[in-house]
Amino acid sequence: MANHSVTLRVTPFVRIDCKFWLTDNGWNGSCDRLSITVQAGNFEHARSQMDMALGKYIESLVCEAQPSSTGQAA
């Protein structure tokens, strides 16, 4: 019987503390450790924006860590 591979997207759980506060213009959020800030009209949208910003930041770290395909051959 032949082996078959399956590709699945895995979403890791990483606890990152963020602060959210209400202002006259809506909700602000910040992640001090990663210098990320968001602003939205309501709390749910601010939290969603923070989720997306953190995801993009982590993806950028993963892409930077991958070896370049244009590297020199040994």
Side-chain angles (χ1 to χ4, degrees), residues 14-66:
V14 178
R15 184 176 304 267
I16 299 174
D17 292 329
C18 301
K19 299 176 189 171
F20 295 90
W21 63 96
L22 182 59
T23 67
D24 292 338
N25 297 325
W27 282 86
N28 290 337
S30 70
C31 177
D32 295 336
R33 291 182 67 186
L34 303 177
S35 300
I36 296 174
T37 60
V38 297
Q39 183 178 9
N42 61 53
F43 175 76
E44 291 79 16
H45 192 221
R47 183 172 179 196
S48 175
Q49 292 290 340
M50 183 61 75
D51 284 341
M52 289 180 11
L54 290 171
K56 288 179 182 179
Y57 177 81
I58 292 169
E59 281 183 12
S60 72
L61 294 178
V62 170
C63 289
E64 287 178 11
Q66 292 178 349

mmCIF file of all heavy atoms in Angstrom, residues 14-66:
data_model
loop_
_atom_site.group_PDB
_atom_site.id
_atom_site.type_symbol
_atom_site.label_atom_id
_atom_site.label_comp_id
_atom_site.label_asym_id
_atom_site.label_seq_id
_atom_site.Cartn_x
_atom_site.Cartn_y
_atom_site.Cartn_z
ATOM 1 N N VAL A 14 -0.994 30.624 20.653
ATOM 2 C CA VAL A 14 0.082 31.398 21.275
ATOM 3 C C VAL A 14 -0.579 32.481 22.112
ATOM 4 O O VAL A 14 -1.376 33.269 21.605
ATOM 5 C CB VAL A 14 0.995 32.046 20.203
ATOM 6 C CG1 VAL A 14 2.081 32.880 20.866
ATOM 7 C CG2 VAL A 14 1.591 30.996 19.308
ATOM 8 N N ARG A 15 -0.278 32.529 23.387
ATOM 9 C CA ARG A 15 -0.862 33.542 24.260
ATOM 10 C C ARG A 15 -0.026 34.817 24.167
ATOM 11 O O ARG A 15 1.156 34.818 24.490
ATOM 12 C CB ARG A 15 -0.917 33.059 25.695
ATOM 13 C CG ARG A 15 -1.600 34.042 26.632
ATOM 14 C CD ARG A 15 -1.738 33.509 28.034
ATOM 15 N NE ARG A 15 -2.445 32.244 28.059
ATOM 16 C CZ ARG A 15 -3.761 32.126 28.237
ATOM 17 N NH1 ARG A 15 -4.488 33.199 28.381
ATOM 18 N NH2 ARG A 15 -4.317 30.943 28.257
ATOM 19 N N ILE A 16 -0.660 35.902 23.700
ATOM 20 C CA ILE A 16 -0.011 37.202 23.601
ATOM 21 C C ILE A 16 -0.926 38.220 24.267
ATOM 22 O O ILE A 16 -2.099 38.351 23.880
ATOM 23 C CB ILE A 16 0.239 37.595 22.126
ATOM 24 C CG1 ILE A 16 1.152 36.565 21.454
ATOM 25 C CG2 ILE A 16 0.853 38.990 22.043
ATOM 26 C CD1 ILE A 16 1.337 36.778 19.972
ATOM 27 N N ASP A 17 -0.422 38.905 25.275
ATOM 28 C CA ASP A 17 -1.228 39.888 25.992
ATOM 29 C C ASP A 17 -1.376 41.163 25.180
ATOM 30 O O ASP A 17 -0.400 41.706 24.665
ATOM 31 C CB ASP A 17 -0.601 40.217 27.347
ATOM 32 C CG ASP A 17 -0.648 39.040 28.307
ATOM 33 O OD1 ASP A 17 -1.596 38.238 28.202
ATOM 34 O OD2 ASP A 17 0.252 38.931 29.156
ATOM 35 N N CYS A 18 -2.626 41.609 25.059
ATOM 36 C CA CYS A 18 -2.946 42.846 24.355
ATOM 37 C C CYS A 18 -3.847 43.689 25.255
ATOM 38 O O CYS A 18 -4.584 43.151 26.084
ATOM 39 C CB CYS A 18 -3.678 42.550 23.043
ATOM 40 S SG CYS A 18 -2.748 41.509 21.912
ATOM 41 N N LYS A 19 -3.777 44.991 25.078
ATOM 42 C CA LYS A 19 -4.611 45.913 25.848
ATOM 43 C C LYS A 19 -5.635 46.538 24.916
ATOM 44 O O LYS A 19 -5.318 46.879 23.776
ATOM 45 C CB LYS A 19 -3.760 47.022 26.462
ATOM 46 C CG LYS A 19 -2.704 46.537 27.421
ATOM 47 C CD LYS A 19 -1.862 47.705 27.884
ATOM 48 C CE LYS A 19 -0.665 47.217 28.668
ATOM 49 N NZ LYS A 19 0.276 48.300 28.961
ATOM 50 N N PHE A 20 -6.857 46.714 25.395
ATOM 51 C CA PHE A 20 -7.922 47.378 24.645
ATOM 52 C C PHE A 20 -8.555 48.428 25.538
ATOM 53 O O PHE A 20 -8.753 48.192 26.725
ATOM 54 C CB PHE A 20 -8.985 46.366 24.201
ATOM 55 C CG PHE A 20 -8.480 45.359 23.217
ATOM 56 C CD1 PHE A 20 -7.928 44.166 23.643
ATOM 57 C CD2 PHE A 20 -8.551 45.608 21.857
ATOM 58 C CE1 PHE A 20 -7.456 43.227 22.736
ATOM 59 C CE2 PHE A 20 -8.082 44.677 20.937
ATOM 60 C CZ PHE A 20 -7.534 43.491 21.379
ATOM 61 N N TRP A 21 -8.867 49.586 24.962
ATOM 62 C CA TRP A 21 -9.515 50.638 25.743
ATOM 63 C C TRP A 21 -10.435 51.457 24.852
ATOM 64 O O TRP A 21 -10.200 51.599 23.653
ATOM 65 C CB TRP A 21 -8.493 51.520 26.455
ATOM 66 C CG TRP A 21 -7.586 52.271 25.543
ATOM 67 C CD1 TRP A 21 -7.742 53.561 25.114
ATOM 68 C CD2 TRP A 21 -6.384 51.807 24.927
ATOM 69 N NE1 TRP A 21 -6.720 53.922 24.275
ATOM 70 C CE2 TRP A 21 -5.859 52.854 24.139
ATOM 71 C CE3 TRP A 21 -5.698 50.587 24.949
ATOM 72 C CZ2 TRP A 21 -4.706 52.722 23.400
ATOM 73 C CZ3 TRP A 21 -4.548 50.474 24.207
ATOM 74 C CH2 TRP A 21 -4.054 51.531 23.448
ATOM 75 N N LEU A 22 -11.492 51.982 25.483
ATOM 76 C CA LEU A 22 -12.495 52.763 24.778
ATOM 77 C C LEU A 22 -12.102 54.233 24.784
ATOM 78 O O LEU A 22 -11.686 54.770 25.809
ATOM 79 C CB LEU A 22 -13.856 52.596 25.464
ATOM 80 C CG LEU A 22 -15.054 53.301 24.835
ATOM 81 C CD1 LEU A 22 -15.272 52.819 23.404
ATOM 82 C CD2 LEU A 22 -16.294 53.064 25.685
ATOM 83 N N THR A 23 -12.212 54.889 23.615
ATOM 84 C CA THR A 23 -11.954 56.321 23.490
ATOM 85 C C THR A 23 -13.192 56.980 22.881
ATOM 86 O O THR A 23 -14.169 56.299 22.569
ATOM 87 C CB THR A 23 -10.738 56.600 22.588
ATOM 88 O OG1 THR A 23 -11.057 56.203 21.250
ATOM 89 C CG2 THR A 23 -9.495 55.871 23.064
ATOM 90 N N ASP A 24 -13.143 58.275 22.696
ATOM 91 C CA ASP A 24 -14.259 58.990 22.070
ATOM 92 C C ASP A 24 -14.486 58.532 20.623
ATOM 93 O O ASP A 24 -15.596 58.626 20.111
ATOM 94 C CB ASP A 24 -14.007 60.501 22.085
ATOM 95 C CG ASP A 24 -14.038 61.074 23.489
ATOM 96 O OD1 ASP A 24 -14.656 60.433 24.379
ATOM 97 O OD2 ASP A 24 -13.454 62.152 23.703
ATOM 98 N N ASN A 25 -13.446 58.043 19.959
ATOM 99 C CA ASN A 25 -13.525 57.639 18.546
ATOM 100 C C ASN A 25 -13.714 56.139 18.364
ATOM 101 O O ASN A 25 -13.636 55.652 17.239
ATOM 102 C CB ASN A 25 -12.266 58.084 17.802
ATOM 103 C CG ASN A 25 -12.132 59.588 17.782
ATOM 104 O OD1 ASN A 25 -13.130 60.293 17.710
ATOM 105 N ND2 ASN A 25 -10.909 60.069 17.860
ATOM 106 N N GLY A 26 -13.890 55.373 19.413
ATOM 107 C CA GLY A 26 -14.043 53.924 19.306
ATOM 108 C C GLY A 26 -13.057 53.207 20.209
ATOM 109 O O GLY A 26 -12.615 53.743 21.226
ATOM 110 N N TRP A 27 -12.718 52.002 19.812
ATOM 111 C CA TRP A 27 -11.815 51.163 20.606
ATOM 112 C C TRP A 27 -10.413 51.155 20.010
ATOM 113 O O TRP A 27 -10.237 51.070 18.802
ATOM 114 C CB TRP A 27 -12.343 49.734 20.641
ATOM 115 C CG TRP A 27 -13.478 49.575 21.596
ATOM 116 C CD1 TRP A 27 -14.803 49.795 21.333
ATOM 117 C CD2 TRP A 27 -13.391 49.172 22.951
ATOM 118 N NE1 TRP A 27 -15.540 49.560 22.453
ATOM 119 C CE2 TRP A 27 -14.701 49.168 23.463
ATOM 120 C CE3 TRP A 27 -12.343 48.825 23.796
ATOM 121 C CZ2 TRP A 27 -14.977 48.826 24.777
ATOM 122 C CZ3 TRP A 27 -12.629 48.473 25.095
ATOM 123 C CH2 TRP A 27 -13.927 48.476 25.575
ATOM 124 N N ASN A 28 -9.429 51.223 20.886
ATOM 125 C CA ASN A 28 -8.023 51.085 20.516
ATOM 126 C C ASN A 28 -7.494 49.799 21.138
ATOM 127 O O ASN A 28 -7.954 49.378 22.200
ATOM 128 C CB ASN A 28 -7.185 52.255 21.032
ATOM 129 C CG ASN A 28 -7.481 53.532 20.303
ATOM 130 O OD1 ASN A 28 -7.964 53.521 19.189
ATOM 131 N ND2 ASN A 28 -7.199 54.652 20.940
ATOM 132 N N GLY A 29 -6.533 49.206 20.472
ATOM 133 C CA GLY A 29 -5.877 48.018 21.004
ATOM 134 C C GLY A 29 -4.388 48.101 20.738
ATOM 135 O O GLY A 29 -3.961 48.691 19.741
ATOM 136 N N SER A 30 -3.603 47.525 21.640
ATOM 137 C CA SER A 30 -2.156 47.513 21.423
ATOM 138 C C SER A 30 -1.547 46.240 21.983
ATOM 139 O O SER A 30 -2.047 45.656 22.932
ATOM 140 C CB SER A 30 -1.488 48.732 22.072
ATOM 141 O OG SER A 30 -1.513 48.625 23.473
ATOM 142 N N CYS A 31 -0.483 45.846 21.338
ATOM 143 C CA CYS A 31 0.360 44.748 21.805
ATOM 144 C C CYS A 31 1.746 45.351 21.982
ATOM 145 O O CYS A 31 2.465 45.563 21.003
ATOM 146 C CB CYS A 31 0.365 43.608 20.796
ATOM 147 S SG CYS A 31 1.463 42.267 21.277
ATOM 148 N N ASP A 32 2.070 45.673 23.210
ATOM 149 C CA ASP A 32 3.315 46.378 23.494
ATOM 150 C C ASP A 32 4.554 45.574 23.112
ATOM 151 O O ASP A 32 5.528 46.135 22.617
ATOM 152 C CB ASP A 32 3.381 46.778 24.968
ATOM 153 C CG ASP A 32 2.301 47.784 25.346
ATOM 154 O OD1 ASP A 32 1.816 48.506 24.444
ATOM 155 O OD2 ASP A 32 1.935 47.839 26.534
ATOM 156 N N ARG A 33 4.534 44.264 23.313
ATOM 157 C CA ARG A 33 5.706 43.432 23.029
ATOM 158 C C ARG A 33 6.074 43.432 21.551
ATOM 159 O O ARG A 33 7.239 43.256 21.197
ATOM 160 C CB ARG A 33 5.470 41.992 23.479
ATOM 161 C CG ARG A 33 5.417 41.837 24.987
ATOM 162 C CD ARG A 33 5.224 40.410 25.378
ATOM 163 N NE ARG A 33 6.413 39.646 25.022
ATOM 164 C CZ ARG A 33 6.497 38.336 25.145
ATOM 165 N NH1 ARG A 33 5.478 37.639 25.568
ATOM 166 N NH2 ARG A 33 7.605 37.723 24.807
ATOM 167 N N LEU A 34 5.058 43.611 20.675
ATOM 168 C CA LEU A 34 5.308 43.537 19.236
ATOM 169 C C LEU A 34 5.087 44.862 18.525
ATOM 170 O O LEU A 34 5.151 44.928 17.296
ATOM 171 C CB LEU A 34 4.401 42.464 18.610
ATOM 172 C CG LEU A 34 4.534 41.064 19.211
ATOM 173 C CD1 LEU A 34 3.538 40.115 18.577
ATOM 174 C CD2 LEU A 34 5.956 40.541 19.075
ATOM 175 N N SER A 35 4.812 45.916 19.270
ATOM 176 C CA SER A 35 4.585 47.253 18.709
ATOM 177 C C SER A 35 3.487 47.248 17.647
ATOM 178 O O SER A 35 3.647 47.792 16.562
ATOM 179 C CB SER A 35 5.880 47.829 18.130
ATOM 180 O OG SER A 35 6.862 47.932 19.132
ATOM 181 N N ILE A 36 2.368 46.608 17.971
ATOM 182 C CA ILE A 36 1.216 46.555 17.074
ATOM 183 C C ILE A 36 0.078 47.342 17.716
ATOM 184 O O ILE A 36 -0.191 47.177 18.905
ATOM 185 C CB ILE A 36 0.773 45.103 16.821
ATOM 186 C CG1 ILE A 36 1.877 44.339 16.087
ATOM 187 C CG2 ILE A 36 -0.537 45.060 16.041
ATOM 188 C CD1 ILE A 36 1.591 42.868 15.920
ATOM 189 N N THR A 37 -0.585 48.186 16.929
ATOM 190 C CA THR A 37 -1.752 48.921 17.409
ATOM 191 C C THR A 37 -2.877 48.813 16.388
ATOM 192 O O THR A 37 -2.631 48.685 15.189
ATOM 193 C CB THR A 37 -1.441 50.409 17.657
ATOM 194 O OG1 THR A 37 -1.003 51.001 16.434
ATOM 195 C CG2 THR A 37 -0.364 50.589 18.715
ATOM 196 N N VAL A 38 -4.121 48.860 16.877
ATOM 197 C CA VAL A 38 -5.302 48.832 16.016
ATOM 198 C C VAL A 38 -6.321 49.824 16.554
ATOM 199 O O VAL A 38 -6.264 50.229 17.717
ATOM 200 C CB VAL A 38 -5.939 47.421 15.945
ATOM 201 C CG1 VAL A 38 -4.971 46.427 15.321
ATOM 202 C CG2 VAL A 38 -6.397 46.953 17.301
ATOM 203 N N GLN A 39 -7.262 50.192 15.690
ATOM 204 C CA GLN A 39 -8.355 51.068 16.089
ATOM 205 C C GLN A 39 -9.596 50.640 15.325
ATOM 206 O O GLN A 39 -9.522 50.337 14.129
ATOM 207 C CB GLN A 39 -8.032 52.522 15.783
ATOM 208 C CG GLN A 39 -9.107 53.480 16.246
ATOM 209 C CD GLN A 39 -8.740 54.926 15.971
ATOM 210 O OE1 GLN A 39 -7.757 55.214 15.288
ATOM 211 N NE2 GLN A 39 -9.525 55.828 16.511
ATOM 212 N N ALA A 40 -10.742 50.601 16.018
ATOM 213 C CA ALA A 40 -11.992 50.197 15.373
ATOM 214 C C ALA A 40 -13.174 50.830 16.099
ATOM 215 O O ALA A 40 -13.041 51.334 17.216
ATOM 216 C CB ALA A 40 -12.121 48.682 15.386
ATOM 217 N N GLY A 41 -14.327 50.774 15.452
ATOM 218 C CA GLY A 41 -15.523 51.391 16.004
ATOM 219 C C GLY A 41 -16.131 50.644 17.174
ATOM 220 O O GLY A 41 -16.806 51.246 18.004
ATOM 221 N N ASN A 42 -15.912 49.321 17.250
ATOM 222 C CA ASN A 42 -16.431 48.557 18.391
ATOM 223 C C ASN A 42 -15.389 47.545 18.851
ATOM 224 O O ASN A 42 -14.407 47.279 18.151
ATOM 225 C CB ASN A 42 -17.765 47.879 18.030
ATOM 226 C CG ASN A 42 -17.643 46.904 16.881
ATOM 227 O OD1 ASN A 42 -16.803 46.009 16.896
ATOM 228 N ND2 ASN A 42 -18.475 47.071 15.866
ATOM 229 N N PHE A 43 -15.617 46.979 20.025
ATOM 230 C CA PHE A 43 -14.629 46.084 20.623
ATOM 231 C C PHE A 43 -14.395 44.837 19.772
ATOM 232 O O PHE A 43 -13.255 44.418 19.579
ATOM 233 C CB PHE A 43 -15.057 45.682 22.036
ATOM 234 C CG PHE A 43 -14.140 44.671 22.651
ATOM 235 C CD1 PHE A 43 -12.900 45.057 23.131
ATOM 236 C CD2 PHE A 43 -14.491 43.330 22.719
ATOM 237 C CE1 PHE A 43 -12.025 44.129 23.685
ATOM 238 C CE2 PHE A 43 -13.630 42.392 23.263
ATOM 239 C CZ PHE A 43 -12.400 42.793 23.745
ATOM 240 N N GLU A 44 -15.479 44.240 19.271
ATOM 241 C CA GLU A 44 -15.341 43.012 18.486
ATOM 242 C C GLU A 44 -14.478 43.231 17.242
ATOM 243 O O GLU A 44 -13.648 42.387 16.900
ATOM 244 C CB GLU A 44 -16.720 42.468 18.086
ATOM 245 C CG GLU A 44 -17.529 41.926 19.241
ATOM 246 C CD GLU A 44 -18.215 43.019 20.073
ATOM 247 O OE1 GLU A 44 -18.312 44.178 19.589
ATOM 248 O OE2 GLU A 44 -18.632 42.735 21.196
ATOM 249 N N HIS A 45 -14.681 44.361 16.585
ATOM 250 C CA HIS A 45 -13.885 44.666 15.390
ATOM 251 C C HIS A 45 -12.427 44.935 15.764
ATOM 252 O O HIS A 45 -11.505 44.520 15.056
ATOM 253 C CB HIS A 45 -14.501 45.841 14.634
ATOM 254 C CG HIS A 45 -13.933 46.031 13.276
ATOM 255 N ND1 HIS A 45 -13.643 47.257 12.762
ATOM 256 C CD2 HIS A 45 -13.565 45.139 12.301
ATOM 257 C CE1 HIS A 45 -13.127 47.124 11.552
ATOM 258 N NE2 HIS A 45 -13.079 45.846 11.254
ATOM 259 N N ALA A 46 -12.207 45.631 16.881
ATOM 260 C CA ALA A 46 -10.835 45.891 17.335
ATOM 261 C C ALA A 46 -10.115 44.578 17.647
ATOM 262 O O ALA A 46 -8.956 44.396 17.285
ATOM 263 C CB ALA A 46 -10.840 46.801 18.555
ATOM 264 N N ARG A 47 -10.816 43.668 18.296
ATOM 265 C CA ARG A 47 -10.196 42.378 18.620
ATOM 266 C C ARG A 47 -9.907 41.587 17.341
ATOM 267 O O ARG A 47 -8.858 40.965 17.206
ATOM 268 C CB ARG A 47 -11.097 41.576 19.543
ATOM 269 C CG ARG A 47 -10.453 40.282 19.957
ATOM 270 C CD ARG A 47 -11.219 39.558 20.997
ATOM 271 N NE ARG A 47 -10.517 38.319 21.291
ATOM 272 C CZ ARG A 47 -11.047 37.316 21.917
ATOM 273 N NH1 ARG A 47 -12.277 37.388 22.365
ATOM 274 N NH2 ARG A 47 -10.352 36.231 22.130
ATOM 275 N N SER A 48 -10.839 41.630 16.391
ATOM 276 C CA SER A 48 -10.632 40.956 15.115
ATOM 277 C C SER A 48 -9.440 41.558 14.366
ATOM 278 O O SER A 48 -8.619 40.822 13.793
ATOM 279 C CB SER A 48 -11.896 41.065 14.266
ATOM 280 O OG SER A 48 -11.690 40.518 12.995
ATOM 281 N N GLN A 49 -9.330 42.879 14.373
ATOM 282 C CA GLN A 49 -8.202 43.548 13.723
ATOM 283 C C GLN A 49 -6.884 43.137 14.384
ATOM 284 O O GLN A 49 -5.873 42.938 13.709
ATOM 285 C CB GLN A 49 -8.367 45.074 13.792
ATOM 286 C CG GLN A 49 -9.501 45.599 12.961
ATOM 287 C CD GLN A 49 -9.219 45.488 11.475
ATOM 288 O OE1 GLN A 49 -8.085 45.361 11.037
ATOM 289 N NE2 GLN A 49 -10.271 45.531 10.690
ATOM 290 N N MET A 50 -6.891 43.007 15.722
ATOM 291 C CA MET A 50 -5.675 42.586 16.434
ATOM 292 C C MET A 50 -5.329 41.150 16.066
ATOM 293 O O MET A 50 -4.154 40.829 15.838
ATOM 294 C CB MET A 50 -5.862 42.731 17.944
ATOM 295 C CG MET A 50 -4.627 42.381 18.742
ATOM 296 S SD MET A 50 -3.185 43.422 18.393
ATOM 297 C CE MET A 50 -3.647 44.926 19.254
ATOM 298 N N ASP A 51 -6.326 40.271 15.993
ATOM 299 C CA ASP A 51 -6.080 38.880 15.578
ATOM 300 C C ASP A 51 -5.403 38.838 14.214
ATOM 301 O O ASP A 51 -4.425 38.116 14.008
ATOM 302 C CB ASP A 51 -7.380 38.088 15.506
ATOM 303 C CG ASP A 51 -7.926 37.684 16.862
ATOM 304 O OD1 ASP A 51 -7.159 37.694 17.838
ATOM 305 O OD2 ASP A 51 -9.122 37.357 16.931
ATOM 306 N N MET A 52 -5.925 39.609 13.278
ATOM 307 C CA MET A 52 -5.359 39.631 11.924
ATOM 308 C C MET A 52 -3.951 40.219 11.921
ATOM 309 O O MET A 52 -3.059 39.696 11.246
ATOM 310 C CB MET A 52 -6.267 40.409 10.986
ATOM 311 C CG MET A 52 -7.555 39.679 10.691
ATOM 312 S SD MET A 52 -8.769 40.445 9.584
ATOM 313 C CE MET A 52 -7.976 41.800 8.855
ATOM 314 N N ALA A 53 -3.730 41.291 12.664
ATOM 315 C CA ALA A 53 -2.410 41.921 12.706
ATOM 316 C C ALA A 53 -1.378 40.971 13.312
ATOM 317 O O ALA A 53 -0.252 40.863 12.811
ATOM 318 C CB ALA A 53 -2.470 43.224 13.495
ATOM 319 N N LEU A 54 -1.761 40.276 14.377
ATOM 320 C CA LEU A 54 -0.837 39.311 14.988
ATOM 321 C C LEU A 54 -0.548 38.159 14.035
ATOM 322 O O LEU A 54 0.599 37.709 13.925
ATOM 323 C CB LEU A 54 -1.418 38.791 16.301
ATOM 324 C CG LEU A 54 -1.470 39.789 17.448
ATOM 325 C CD1 LEU A 54 -2.265 39.223 18.613
ATOM 326 C CD2 LEU A 54 -0.076 40.200 17.896
ATOM 327 N N GLY A 55 -1.566 37.678 13.326
ATOM 328 C CA GLY A 55 -1.364 36.602 12.361
ATOM 329 C C GLY A 55 -0.410 36.999 11.254
ATOM 330 O O GLY A 55 0.485 36.237 10.881
ATOM 331 N N LYS A 56 -0.584 38.201 10.724
ATOM 332 C CA LYS A 56 0.305 38.689 9.663
ATOM 333 C C LYS A 56 1.733 38.834 10.181
ATOM 334 O O LYS A 56 2.694 38.525 9.471
ATOM 335 C CB LYS A 56 -0.202 40.018 9.117
ATOM 336 C CG LYS A 56 -1.434 39.884 8.283
ATOM 337 C CD LYS A 56 -1.913 41.232 7.793
ATOM 338 C CE LYS A 56 -3.195 41.098 6.986
ATOM 339 N NZ LYS A 56 -3.703 42.389 6.522
ATOM 340 N N TYR A 57 1.880 39.308 11.410
ATOM 341 C CA TYR A 57 3.212 39.461 11.987
ATOM 342 C C TYR A 57 3.902 38.101 12.117
ATOM 343 O O TYR A 57 5.059 37.950 11.714
ATOM 344 C CB TYR A 57 3.111 40.139 13.358
ATOM 345 C CG TYR A 57 4.439 40.277 14.048
ATOM 346 C CD1 TYR A 57 5.302 41.316 13.722
ATOM 347 C CD2 TYR A 57 4.837 39.362 15.009
ATOM 348 C CE1 TYR A 57 6.527 41.443 14.345
ATOM 349 C CE2 TYR A 57 6.067 39.478 15.638
ATOM 350 C CZ TYR A 57 6.909 40.520 15.305
ATOM 351 O OH TYR A 57 8.120 40.634 15.919
ATOM 352 N N ILE A 58 3.171 37.112 12.622
ATOM 353 C CA ILE A 58 3.756 35.783 12.795
ATOM 354 C C ILE A 58 4.075 35.161 11.441
ATOM 355 O O ILE A 58 5.125 34.537 11.261
ATOM 356 C CB ILE A 58 2.826 34.896 13.640
ATOM 357 C CG1 ILE A 58 2.799 35.429 15.078
ATOM 358 C CG2 ILE A 58 3.273 33.441 13.608
ATOM 359 C CD1 ILE A 58 1.737 34.823 15.957
ATOM 360 N N GLU A 59 3.197 35.341 10.450
ATOM 361 C CA GLU A 59 3.478 34.837 9.097
ATOM 362 C C GLU A 59 4.737 35.466 8.526
ATOM 363 O O GLU A 59 5.527 34.793 7.859
ATOM 364 C CB GLU A 59 2.301 35.117 8.168
ATOM 365 C CG GLU A 59 1.159 34.152 8.317
ATOM 366 C CD GLU A 59 0.044 34.421 7.317
ATOM 367 O OE1 GLU A 59 0.250 35.205 6.367
ATOM 368 O OE2 GLU A 59 -1.035 33.850 7.504
ATOM 369 N N SER A 60 4.936 36.766 8.783
ATOM 370 C CA SER A 60 6.134 37.426 8.262
ATOM 371 C C SER A 60 7.391 36.847 8.899
ATOM 372 O O SER A 60 8.421 36.716 8.240
ATOM 373 C CB SER A 60 6.059 38.941 8.477
ATOM 374 O OG SER A 60 6.235 39.282 9.836
ATOM 375 N N LEU A 61 7.306 36.476 10.169
ATOM 376 C CA LEU A 61 8.459 35.849 10.829
ATOM 377 C C LEU A 61 8.765 34.491 10.218
ATOM 378 O O LEU A 61 9.929 34.146 10.012
ATOM 379 C CB LEU A 61 8.201 35.701 12.330
ATOM 380 C CG LEU A 61 8.096 36.979 13.141
ATOM 381 C CD1 LEU A 61 7.778 36.645 14.596
ATOM 382 C CD2 LEU A 61 9.368 37.799 13.048
ATOM 383 N N VAL A 62 7.734 33.731 9.914
ATOM 384 C CA VAL A 62 7.921 32.400 9.321
ATOM 385 C C VAL A 62 8.542 32.541 7.933
ATOM 386 O O VAL A 62 9.460 31.801 7.573
ATOM 387 C CB VAL A 62 6.579 31.647 9.264
ATOM 388 C CG1 VAL A 62 6.705 30.373 8.442
ATOM 389 C CG2 VAL A 62 6.097 31.325 10.670
ATOM 390 N N CYS A 63 8.052 33.496 7.145
ATOM 391 C CA CYS A 63 8.600 33.697 5.794
ATOM 392 C C CYS A 63 10.058 34.121 5.838
ATOM 393 O O CYS A 63 10.849 33.695 5.004
ATOM 394 C CB CYS A 63 7.779 34.740 5.046
ATOM 395 S SG CYS A 63 6.146 34.144 4.583
ATOM 396 N N GLU A 64 10.422 34.959 6.807
ATOM 397 C CA GLU A 64 11.822 35.386 6.946
ATOM 398 C C GLU A 64 12.718 34.224 7.328
ATOM 399 O O GLU A 64 13.881 34.180 6.936
ATOM 400 C CB GLU A 64 11.941 36.474 8.015
ATOM 401 C CG GLU A 64 11.402 37.816 7.593
ATOM 402 C CD GLU A 64 11.495 38.858 8.706
ATOM 403 O OE1 GLU A 64 12.162 38.594 9.721
ATOM 404 O OE2 GLU A 64 10.893 39.911 8.551
ATOM 405 N N ALA A 65 12.183 33.255 8.077
ATOM 406 C CA ALA A 65 12.988 32.136 8.564
ATOM 407 C C ALA A 65 13.200 31.067 7.497
ATOM 408 O O ALA A 65 14.094 30.244 7.618
ATOM 409 C CB ALA A 65 12.333 31.511 9.792
ATOM 410 N N GLN A 66 12.378 31.067 6.443
ATOM 411 C CA GLN A 66 12.519 30.058 5.392
ATOM 412 C C GLN A 66 13.724 30.387 4.520
ATOM 413 O O GLN A 66 13.949 31.545 4.174
ATOM 414 C CB GLN A 66 11.266 30.006 4.532
ATOM 415 C CG GLN A 66 10.070 29.465 5.277
ATOM 416 C CD GLN A 66 8.814 29.456 4.435
ATOM 417 O OE1 GLN A 66 8.787 30.036 3.355
ATOM 418 N NE2 GLN A 66 7.794 28.808 4.912
#
